[in-house]
Amino acid sequence: MAQNGTTENGVPPNPLPQPCRAPEIKHTKLFINNEWQSSANGKTFPTFNPATGEKICDVEEADKADVDKAVEAAKAAMNRGSPWRRMDVSSRGRLLHRLAELLERDRIVLATMESMDSGKPFLQSFFIDLDGSIKTLRYYAGWADKIHGKTLPVDDNFMCFTKHEPVGVCGAIIPWNFPLLMFVWKIAPALCCGNTVVIKPAEQTPLTALHVGALIKEAGFPPGVVNIVPGFGPTAGAAIASHMGIDKVAFTGSTEVGQLIKEAAAKSNLKRVTLELGGKNPCIVFADSDLQLAVQEAQKGAFYNQGQCCTAASRVFVEESVYDEFVRLSVESAKKIVAGDPMDPQTSHGPQIDQQQFEKILELVESGKKEGAKLECGGCSVQDKGLFIQPTIFSDVRDHMRLAKEEIFGPVQCILKFKSQEEVIERANSTHYGLAAAVFTHSVERAVSVSSALEAGTVWVNCYNALHAQAPFGGYKMSGNGRELGEYALAEYTEVKTVTIKLNKQLTV
């Protein structure tokens, strides 16, 4: 998420890219069968700029009838003899490469649109979200002609081999915190493996997904291969999760909604499910670490994207001998963070996504004060700036506090103290979540032993949010099922078929 979109060779361009000041929003309808369509119920919903509170535009609202229509288009595109099924695998790869080129062409427009719709700073959208999306498309374009089975030695006079075939129609439901990146994380491996897709962007942030719909058509993907149905979770999202014509669903979002999706999948057609859910991620700082580096990386984990990350470093465990110094350096660093207009290149901290999220974060901040944590800085909204919350740091946080147990999804860093390696491992693992973790130390032996002991799908050592298209990402426990990215994601979008042939005189070459 945060790091797979670094600038080329680590050097930003000079001058820095500038956002479009008034980007034209061309696409606000449903994208079904390569056509722009109005919703069956005639309803629309507004999307707002969280930095200003102003309405950007109205978007067509999909519900069950529209999902049914999208699924029919996706099923037709999967039929044997269809242009998509007849297409050779290298041509699928070329289409994904072409889509990546079109994202590169429209990069400034997409980054501007992403920042308008989500509130994240423009330069982060440009250098991280767009770059990560482009790299992910190119990575899976390269896999399209390299997915294969095995020849298996079996007993007696048989020939046995396996084939990897597409699952079929894949549903996808994506969140608002990384709208474009999550869109690409879902469609790239699915299309690489030959599936078709029905995808619902979050109702807060539908605009970049719809713009990419136009690019998908321009790239040359056949009708029905990708269908985009903006709408709300209880209607369009629920229709995808329970649809009998959808063979697999992938969801990124809260654990609570993930449970509902898995239940709906089980009660309908037992469709396959991939879930990337919440986290309460431990970041462990040992006394032998580079303390300044640990402060910088831990704050990247806590405050990046206004803390609206499933990987957020919301539990920072610091060894007691360096605890006070770590807190001092963290407060010093947090006070330098610039909150403001996401389109301003000086801004590194934008607004929360909406009023509901804003109020939830401030309510958890108040709980920290009441339960006895020490507020070191922040803890309130930025004056006269609507949905902006100051980067907030609490010290003296205890494991029983809500701050240490609940996913905050906001710019709040909780710093806890520990005495021994054994103690901190036990405390770090004492959670229902298991998405990510980090370890800061100069000891290779400690880095290996602690990373092995942590119950998390991803462990970073002396870094944070270092995600790459080549490396799998997913969680243990209630942080989800399955993996996204890397070669591992291909297994989520393919079925394995075993073919066994009896070799005898009747079967000749």
Side-chain angles (χ1 to χ4, degrees):
M1 238 173 310
Q3 290 288 55
N4 67 347
T6 53
T7 55
E8 198 67 28
N9 300 318
V11 180
N14 189 19
L16 291 171
Q18 297 296 315
C20 301
R21 281 302 163 188
E24 182 184 358
I25 308 299
K26 297 179 180 178
H27 306 294
T28 61
K29 293 188 174 184
L30 316 182
F31 184 71
I32 298 175
N33 213 34
N34 275 12
E35 297 175 351
W36 297 105
Q37 303 185 15
S38 298
S39 59
N41 61 18
K43 292 182 181 178
T44 62
F45 64 92
T47 183
F48 295 92
N49 182 334
T52 64
E54 296 173 358
K55 186 173 86 169
I56 302 171
C57 63
D58 289 309
V59 175
E60 295 288 329
E61 180 188 335
D63 64 10
K64 184 179 183 301
D66 302 296
V67 171
D68 288 342
K69 193 173 183 180
V71 171
E72 285 306 309
K75 287 175 68 176
M78 278 299 296
N79 285 340
R80 297 193 180 279
S82 71
W84 182 240
R85 289 298 294 270
R86 293 199 315 269
M87 186 180 294
D88 59 62
V89 290
S90 58
S91 294
R92 286 208 304 262
R94 282 195 294 271
L95 285 180
L96 287 167
H97 272 302
R98 176 60 179 150
L99 183 57
E101 291 167 2
L102 293 173
L103 260 69
E104 190 78 72
R105 183 196 70 190
D106 288 2
R107 187 169 179 161
I108 287 179
V109 173
L110 283 163
T112 303
M113 205 177 290
E114 193 81 324
S115 293
M116 284 175 53
D117 217 11
S118 71
K120 63 179 63 188
F122 168 77
L123 290 181
Q124 292 179 11
S125 294
F126 185 91
F127 286 122
I128 295 171
D129 297 54
L130 264 295
D131 208 55
S133 299
I134 292 163
K135 286 180 177 178
T136 300
L137 285 168
R138 288 178 175 153
Y139 174 78
Y140 283 108
W143 264 112
D145 59 357
K146 300 172 185 67
I147 301 168
H148 56 79
K150 299 178 180 179
T151 302
L152 307 172
V154 294
D155 294 340
D156 299 323
N157 196 27
F158 293 93
M159 176 183 177
C160 186
F161 62 90
T162 60
K163 298 173 64 180
H164 291 200
E165 299 182 345
V167 171
V169 178
C170 297
I173 304 169
I174 58 175
W176 47 258
N177 56 338
F178 291 91
L180 179 58
L181 195 58
M182 294 299 101
F183 182 91
V184 171
W185 278 24
K186 298 294 185 285
I187 70 163
L191 300 180
C192 159
C193 295
N195 299 281
T196 57
V197 179
V198 176
I199 186 165
K200 187 196 88 66
E203 62 270 21
Q204 297 91 338
T205 53
L207 298 183
T208 48
L210 293 171
H211 186 96
V212 175
L215 302 186
I216 285 168
K217 182 175 181 178
E218 183 179 348
F221 284 87
V225 173
V226 178
N227 306 274
I228 305 168
V229 285
F232 292 85
T235 50
I240 289 172
S242 62
H243 206 289
M244 296 297 291
I246 290 179
D247 304 295
K248 179 248 167 70
V249 64
F251 169 74
T252 297
S254 71
T255 296
E256 293 75 19
V257 175
Q259 290 174 309
L260 294 174
I261 287 171
K262 198 163 188 177
E263 181 182 10
K267 287 183 175 179
S268 52
N269 58 347
L270 278 175
K271 59 177 64 64
R272 294 172 64 171
V273 179
T274 301
L275 301 173
E276 194 267 279
L277 307 176
K280 194 65 184 171
N281 311 292
C283 176
I284 303 172
V285 180
F286 287 95
D288 70 336
S289 66
D290 179 335
L291 210 59
Q292 192 63 59
L293 172 69
V295 167
Q296 292 171 0
E297 293 293 317
Q299 292 208 334
K300 182 191 299 179
F303 299 141
Y304 179 75
N305 203 38
Q306 297 73 249
Q308 298 171 145
C309 300
C310 54
T311 59
S314 56
R315 290 189 298 154
V316 181
F317 294 93
V318 181
E319 197 164 2
E320 63 178 353
S321 63
V322 294
Y323 183 86
D324 291 341
E325 179 67 3
F326 184 91
V327 171
R328 184 187 70 80
L329 291 171
S330 296
V331 172
E332 195 176 272
S333 176
K335 288 181 177 178
K336 296 176 184 177
I337 294 172
V338 179
D341 179 3
M343 301 302 173
D344 186 333
Q346 301 302 315
T347 296
S348 58
H349 188 82
Q352 308 311 130
I353 187 67
D354 58 23
Q355 189 69 33
Q356 180 181 358
Q357 190 66 20
F358 176 84
E359 291 174 358
K360 176 196 169 188
I361 296 162
L362 290 181
E363 193 269 329
L364 279 167
V365 167
E366 288 303 311
S367 79
K369 295 176 186 177
K370 291 176 182 176
E371 291 184 319
K374 182 181 178 183
L375 179 64
E376 296 282 353
C377 67
C380 59
S381 60
V382 178
Q383 193 173 12
D384 301 324
K385 284 188 182 287
L387 299 176
F388 291 77
I389 294 176
Q390 294 175 355
T392 299
I393 295 177
F394 280 99
S395 64
D396 296 338
V397 178
R398 302 289 186 265
D399 293 345
H400 70 275
M401 297 178 181
R402 289 180 62 196
L403 286 175
K405 295 194 298 183
E406 297 181 27
E407 188 176 32
I408 301 170
F409 231 64
V412 181
Q413 184 178 36
C414 304
I415 308 179
L416 303 89
K417 187 183 297 183
F418 74 91
K419 292 182 179 180
S420 71
Q421 180 173 312
E422 293 74 18
E423 170 208 332
V424 76
I425 289 171
E426 182 178 352
R427 291 170 65 193
N429 288 337
S430 183
T431 173
H432 295 303
Y433 298 112
L435 187 60
V439 181
F440 289 86
T441 178
H442 275 146
S443 167
V444 173
E445 181 180 356
R446 177 179 282 139
V448 172
S449 62
V450 175
S451 62
S452 297
L454 291 171
E455 296 167 358
T458 294
V459 180
W460 295 296
V461 177
N462 295 332
C463 59
Y464 208 93
N465 274 342
L467 296 171
H468 303 88
Q470 302 88 344
F473 179 71
Y476 286 20
K477 299 187 280 190
M478 292 184 75
S479 286
N481 307 134
R483 291 297 180 267
E484 298 191 295
L485 301 180
E487 182 180 358
Y488 289 84
L490 302 176
E492 309 291 343
Y493 291 94
T494 53
E495 295 283 8
V496 178
K497 176 179 287 184
T498 301
V499 180
T500 303
I501 302 172
K502 175 71 173 176
L503 299 178
N504 53 36
K505 293 180 180 179
Q506 283 74 40
L507 188 65
T508 59
V509 178

